[in-house]
Structures are given as structure tokens and as C-alpha cells.
């Protein structure tokens, strides 16, 4: 696990161990008693939104990502967290689901749809995932119509990803943009498939992996969780968002130099500690964004975790 902001003081966490698959076969108990909310802070979010919009309208940024945290009562034990984890695996089969206990910090759990880097050897993929709507499962993907704001947001992220990976790719192919489901939400997605350039004079898998480490450094944080220009956007968010994201919108997954690496952007996640659950949600802000629609988007994203508690 890598924190969103490497200057925040939070550690990069490495959990060593072998991978294994556990089939989920047991009956899951319905969650009829959702947790009660402690804090929502709409006024704090509105204040931050105003600052973000002002910077965008002045032309200082092409895009900024504004997120927020919301606290909920949660005093569940380890067994209840495992039940929630299993429920997430059942509800969200196309997402990466994780549960991680961190010494002295509590437990993090997430259901993320966004790959940062996935693959091995001579083939890797990454993606641009931006633009969000809440659409019932009964609506066919082919019938979904995207707003100009969502299309523009996706285009900005795709352009950035393309620029980041090109220096490291011997071959680069694209698929999309297309509509992709993630639980109760849909997103616009463009996939990038690349054959990495080996180090000069070498063709071993280790040297391919060295190029991928550079690629990870180049991609994180992507404009899907930060903004553009990236360095200036990260500094602006640090000063104006109003809270510490910790590991939300950081990186989580498996780094395996000998087999397959699967690293994801840590979205749709919650931090369980001190008798409460802190949930996170964010969205891309452009010049034509509105406070109400962006607030609703953060609620949709937090609901991914709420549905499993």
C-alpha cells in the first residue's frame, strides 16, 4: 500500500507473503442495519469546491480532483469485517477487493475498479478511468449517454496516461473509450496495452521490471485522483482540500517481480478504526462542474462500501 501523498508522512507498506485464492461458498448474512452517520460536512466541502472552481476559472489548472471523508459508527469485530469483505467479493466480481490490517492504524478495505499497472514480462496494461454516473443495472451499457463534462474529463486523463507511458513503451495500443460498470456506477474507460522497452543491451525480465518501476513512479498520482498539471495540482490539493487522504487514492495491490504485478488505485475504500468507519469519495472538477452534482458523485462512491456494511 502506497499513500496518496508521499510527503504526508504515511509509510509505504509492504505485506510479504504468497498469493492464494479462497473460493467464497458460504451463505452471506443480509446487512439490514447499516451504520449510522457521524459526520458529513457539506459546508467544508462547499468551501473547498469554491476554492477549486476559482483556480480552474483563473486557468491555473485544466482539472482538479476534490474528495472528502465521511465518518460512520462501526464497532464490528474481525469476523464482521471478513463478512463484509466476502459480501464485497460477491457484489463486485469485476473489482479488486482487499482487506488489510495495519499495525497501530486499524483496518483498510476497498473495492477498486481502476488498474494502475497490471501484467508481467513483455506485456502490461494501465487505464484512464474518469467520468462517473449512477445508472441502474437494468439500463444496457449501449444506451448510456455521457455528458460533455464527463467526456472531457476522460479525455484529459487519457491524454496524460498516453504521455506518461509512451517513453517506456516499445509498442502501445489503445482500447476505448467505452462505458464500464463498477457496482452501481458506470465509468468511461480507455485501456492501454504496452510492451515495455528493455534496458539497453539487456532482454531479461528483471530489466523489463526496472522499466515498470519507473512507469509506476510516472503514473502516480494520475489526474483521475489529482489533476493537471500534476505537481502543481498535488500542492493545491494539499493546501485546499481540508483533510489528509492517507491511503485513499494511493496504490494497493500485488507487486511480484517474478510472476505478475497487479497494482490498483485505492478507490471506494474505508478506514476502520476507533469504533468508526471513515469512508472516502471524490470526483474530477472542471470549469463547468456544479456543487450539487459533484457532491452527489461522492455519495455514490461512498455507497460502494456502505452497501457491504
Amino acid at each position: 500500500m502506497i499513500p496518496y501523498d508521499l510527503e504526508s508522512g504515511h509509510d509505504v507498506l509492504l505485506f510479504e507473503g504468497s498469493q492464494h485464492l479462497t473460493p467464497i461458498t458460504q451463505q452471506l448474512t443480509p446487512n439490514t442495519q447499516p451504520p449510522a452517520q457521524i459526520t458529513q460536512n457539506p459546508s467544508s466541502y462547499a468551501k473547498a469546491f469554491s476554492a477549486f472552481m476559482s483556480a480552474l476559472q483563473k486557468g491555473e489548472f485544466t482539472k482538479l480532483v476534490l474528495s472528502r471523508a465521511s465518518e460512520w459508527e462501526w464497532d464490528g469485530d474481525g469476523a464482521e469485517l471478513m463478512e463484509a469483505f466476502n459480501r464485497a467479493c460477491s457484489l463486485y466480481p469485476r473489482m479488486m477487493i482487499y482487506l488489510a490490517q495495519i499495525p497501530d492504524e486499524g483496518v483498510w478495505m476497498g473495492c477498486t475498479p481502476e488498474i494502475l499497472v497490471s501484467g508481467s514480462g513483455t506485456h502490461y496494461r494501465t487505464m484512464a478511468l474518469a467520468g462517473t454516473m449512477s445508472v441502474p443495472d437494468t439500463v444496457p451499457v449501449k444506451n448510456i449517454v455521457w455528458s460533455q463534462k464527463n467526456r472531457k474529463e476522460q479525455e484529459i486523463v487519457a491524454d496524460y496516461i498516453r504521455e506518461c507511458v509512451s517513453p517506456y513503451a516499445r509498442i502501445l495500443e489503445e482500447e476505448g473509450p467505452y462505458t464500464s460498470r463498477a457496482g452501481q456506477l458506470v465509468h468511461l474507460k480507455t485501456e492501454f496495452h504496452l510492451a515495455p522497452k528493455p534496458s539497453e543491451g539487456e532482454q531479461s525480465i528483471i530489466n523489463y521490471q526496472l522499466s515498470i518501476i519507473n512507469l509506476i513512479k510516472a503514473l502516480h498520482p494520475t489526474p483521475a485522483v489529482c489533476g493537471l498539471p500534476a505537481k502543481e495540482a498535488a500542492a493545491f490539493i494539499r493546501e485546499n482540500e481540508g483533510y489528509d487522504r492517507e491511503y485513499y487514492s494511493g496504490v494497493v495491490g500485488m507487486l511480484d517481480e517474478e510472476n505478475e504485478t497487479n497494482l490498483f488505485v485505492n478507490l471506494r475504500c474505508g478506514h476502520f478504526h476507533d469504533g468508526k468507519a471513515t469512508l472516502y469519495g471524490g470526483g474530477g472538477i472542471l470549469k463547468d462542474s456544479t456543487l450539487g452534482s459533484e457532491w452527489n458523485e461522492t455519495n455514490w462512491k461512498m455507497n460502494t462500501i456502505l452497501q457491504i456494511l
Side-chain angles (χ1 to χ4, degrees):
M1 291 182 69
I2 301 173
Y4 160 73
D5 185 354
L6 292 174
E7 298 181 19
S8 65
H10 297 289
D11 293 331
V12 174
L13 303 172
L14 178 63
F15 303 87
E16 294 186 272
S18 58
Q19 298 186 47
H20 63 277
L21 299 177
T22 303
I24 297 177
T25 57
Q26 72 270 35
Q27 288 292 110
L28 299 178
T29 305
N31 54 332
T32 56
Q33 296 292 329
Q37 192 168 68
I38 302 172
T39 61
Q40 182 82 328
N41 296 326
S43 60
S44 297
Y45 181 85
K47 180 180 178 181
F49 181 86
S50 178
F52 278 49
M53 286 299 295
S54 177
L56 286 164
Q57 290 168 356
K58 290 176 182 176
E60 297 174 11
F61 301 97
T62 306
K63 173 187 175 178
L64 288 168
V65 175
L66 174 59
S67 71
R68 66 183 181 93
S70 180
E71 293 184 346
W72 300 74
E73 292 179 359
W74 175 264
D75 58 0
D77 58 16
E80 288 175 295
L81 280 172
M82 281 303 303
E83 181 84 356
F85 171 81
N86 289 337
R87 189 179 292 112
C89 292
S90 177
L91 283 176
Y92 309 129
R94 293 187 294 271
M95 295 189 192
M96 185 277 205
I97 317 297
Y98 77 92
L99 179 67
Q101 183 173 4
I102 302 173
D104 302 320
E105 286 213 29
V107 173
W108 282 76
M109 178 163 51
C111 316
T112 175
E114 183 171 351
I115 292 170
L116 184 73
V117 179
S118 176
S120 62
T122 59
H123 177 253
Y124 284 81
R125 68 183 179 120
T126 184
M127 65 174 58
L129 192 74
T132 302
M133 288 195 296
S134 179
V135 178
D137 292 340
T138 54
V139 177
V141 169
K142 64 180 181 180
N143 292 347
I144 294 173
V145 178
W146 290 94
S147 68
Q148 182 61 31
K149 183 263 180 185
N150 278 304
R151 289 190 174 277
K152 181 63 177 176
E153 184 183 349
Q154 209 281 337
E155 181 183 336
I156 289 170
V157 177
D159 288 346
Y160 177 86
I161 299 295
R162 190 181 301 111
E163 182 179 345
C164 280
V165 302
S166 292
Y168 302 98
R170 179 172 52 87
I171 301 172
L172 179 62
E173 298 177 348
E174 295 183 30
E175 180 184 357
Y178 60 89
T179 301
S180 173
R181 284 199 177 275
Q184 300 300 310
L185 302 180
V186 292
H187 304 282
L188 274 171
K189 179 195 291 187
T190 300
E191 288 197 32
F192 296 87
H193 298 264
L194 63 128
K197 292 179 181 177
S199 299
E200 289 189 18
E202 300 287 347
Q203 298 293 328
S204 72
I205 188 171
I206 294 176
N207 282 281
Y208 280 116
Q209 287 286 351
L210 290 174
S211 295
I212 294 304
I213 296 300
N214 290 333
L215 178 60
I216 294 167
K217 291 178 180 178
L219 286 171
H220 176 65
T222 74
V225 298
C226 181
L228 282 176
K231 183 177 180 181
E232 291 81 359
F236 183 88
I237 289 170
R238 191 179 300 121
E239 293 296 322
N240 294 277
E241 194 168 47
Y243 82 107
D244 180 3
R245 293 187 183 186
E246 300 186 36
Y247 293 94
Y248 163 66
S249 69
V251 181
V252 63
M254 303 298 297
L255 179 63
D256 187 342
E257 294 185 356
E258 295 182 359
N259 295 293
E260 183 171 354
T261 287
N262 289 288
L263 296 176
F264 295 77
V265 182
N266 191 18
L267 305 175
R268 317 292 195 273
C269 60
H271 182 197
F272 300 83
H273 60 107
D274 303 321
K276 62 186 178 183
T278 303
L279 308 184
Y280 302 86
I285 309 295
L286 303 181
K287 287 181 181 180
D288 55 349
S289 296
T290 63
L291 176 60
S293 63
E294 297 301 330
W295 174 265
N296 288 339
E297 183 172 328
T298 63
N299 281 326
W300 298 338
K301 291 173 177 176
M302 290 180 184
N303 206 39
T304 300
I305 290 290
L306 281 175
Q307 288 186 81
I308 66 173
L309 297 183

